[in-house]
């Protein structure tokens, strides 16, 4: 069984964290939140963005990155606009940790400098600052899951009022 871990270092915007929580819930990824955060976990914007998925989450809180790293050895991938490798060129092993920084500052440069081979970048136009955090997490999660052939995820959907029959739809 594959396990994917999403790590948010000092997230500041509750709606982003709520959206990321929902992504984690629907994909089975574990969510790790490192304090301080720019909101409380009871924030109405956080809860609204995550909808009714909060009870489907495996979530752990930490007081620092040092505490997180001491409790979670493994393969770390630091997502940053400063990365020299493209995120889709990385190979994500089972139990990988995809690590993201604050919306306003990203990850600390001393952390990135200490792990140059683990820094990855989602390609974007050079003259623009960055993607939205929750969008970046979704891109990263689905790249890792694609590499793993989407384990434990439903691959086909169904219509409510119709049945798929080969290439034609027929009404139920």
């Amino acid at each position: 069984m594959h396990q994917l871990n999403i790590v948010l270092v000092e997230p500041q915007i509750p709606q982003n964290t709520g959206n990321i929580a929902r992504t984690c819930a629907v994909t089975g990824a574990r969510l790790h939140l490192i304090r301080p955060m720019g909101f409380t976990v009871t924030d109405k914007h956080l809860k609204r963005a995550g909808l009714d998925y909060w009870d489907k989450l495996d979530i752990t809180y930490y007081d620092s990155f040092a505490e997180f790293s001491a409790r979670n050895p493994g393969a770390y991938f630091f997502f940053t606009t400063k990365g020299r490798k493209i995120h889709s060129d990385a190979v994500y092993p089972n139990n990988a940790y995809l690590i993201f920084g604050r919306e306003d500052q990203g990850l600390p440069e001393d952390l990135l400098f200490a792990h140059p081979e683990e820094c990855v970048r989602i390609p974007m136009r050079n003259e623009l600052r960055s993607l939205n955090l929750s969008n970046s997490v979704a891109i990263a999660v689905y790249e890792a899951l694609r590499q793993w052939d989407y384990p434990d995820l439903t691959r086909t959907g169904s219509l409510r009022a119709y049945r798929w029959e080969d290439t034609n739809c027929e009404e139920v």
Side-chain angles (χ1 to χ4, degrees), residues 145-165:
L145 293 172
R146 182 195 66 78
Q147 289 183 16
W148 298 347
D149 200 28
Y150 304 104
D152 303 319
L153 299 182
T154 303
R155 292 171 169 266
T156 59
S158 59
L159 302 171
R160 292 181 189 175
Y162 298 89
R163 271 194 311 251
W164 296 113
E165 297 295 333

Side-chain angles (χ1 to χ4, degrees), residues 22-34:
R22 186 173 181 174
T23 297
C24 288
V26 302
T27 61
R30 292 175 56 212
L31 180 59
H32 304 264
L33 297 177
I34 300 175

Side-chain angles (χ1 to χ4, degrees), residues 110-168:
D110 61 336
L111 182 63
L112 301 176
F113 187 75
H115 303 277
E117 294 306 310
E118 292 79 29
C119 292
V120 295
R121 173 185 170 86
I122 298 170
M124 65 189 88
R125 293 171 56 196
N126 195 41
E127 62 272 9
L128 298 175
R129 212 171 36 253
S130 64
L131 286 167
N132 172 274
L133 177 62
S134 63
N135 292 335
S136 296
V137 170
I139 290 167
V141 165
Y142 274 91
E143 174 57 25
L145 293 172
R146 182 195 66 78
Q147 289 183 16
W148 298 347
D149 200 28
Y150 304 104
D152 303 319
L153 299 182
T154 303
R155 292 171 169 266
T156 59
S158 59
L159 302 171
R160 292 181 189 175
Y162 298 89
R163 271 194 311 251
W164 296 113
E165 297 295 333
D166 297 329
T167 58
N168 300 319

Side-chain angles (χ1 to χ4, degrees):
M1 174 156 172
H2 285 84
Q3 182 60 62
L4 186 60
N5 298 277
I6 304 307
V7 182
L8 302 182
V9 179
E10 301 180 10
Q12 299 298 299
I13 301 173
Q15 295 91 331
N16 279 336
T17 302
N19 289 336
I20 293 164
R22 186 173 181 174
T23 297
C24 288
V26 302
T27 61
R30 292 175 56 212
L31 180 59
H32 304 264
L33 297 177
I34 300 175
R35 296 179 187 101
M37 297 183 288
F39 52 88
T40 63
V41 292
T42 58
D43 187 293
K44 69 178 180 176
H45 300 292
L46 174 76
K47 296 293 186 182
R48 186 172 61 202
L51 295 175
D52 56 349
Y53 291 78
W54 288 100
D55 63 333
K56 313 290 188 281
L57 279 174
D58 181 351
I59 187 167
T60 308
Y61 300 91
Y62 307 87
D63 289 324
S64 67
F65 189 81
E67 177 190 357
F68 162 78
S69 60
R71 291 175 48 190
N72 297 285
Y76 291 178
F77 296 87
F78 300 94
F79 280 75
T80 173
T81 59
K82 300 166 180 92
R84 297 183 296 173
K85 292 194 312 191
I86 297 173
H87 77 289
S88 55
D89 288 342
V91 176
Y92 302 100
N94 183 37
N95 206 34
Y97 290 87
L98 311 184
I99 302 171
F100 300 83
R102 292 171 54 129
E103 292 92 338
D104 59 345
Q105 298 175 2
L107 292 164
E109 284 198 356
D110 61 336
L111 182 63
L112 301 176
F113 187 75
H115 303 277
E117 294 306 310
E118 292 79 29
C119 292
V120 295
R121 173 185 170 86
I122 298 170
M124 65 189 88
R125 293 171 56 196
N126 195 41
E127 62 272 9
L128 298 175
R129 212 171 36 253
S130 64
L131 286 167
N132 172 274
L133 177 62
S134 63
N135 292 335
S136 296
V137 170
I139 290 167
V141 165
Y142 274 91
E143 174 57 25
L145 293 172
R146 182 195 66 78
Q147 289 183 16
W148 298 347
D149 200 28
Y150 304 104
D152 303 319
L153 299 182
T154 303
R155 292 171 169 266
T156 59
S158 59
L159 302 171
R160 292 181 189 175
Y162 298 89
R163 271 194 311 251
W164 296 113
E165 297 295 333
D166 297 329
T167 58
N168 300 319
C169 290
E170 80 180 40
E171 193 166 357
V172 174

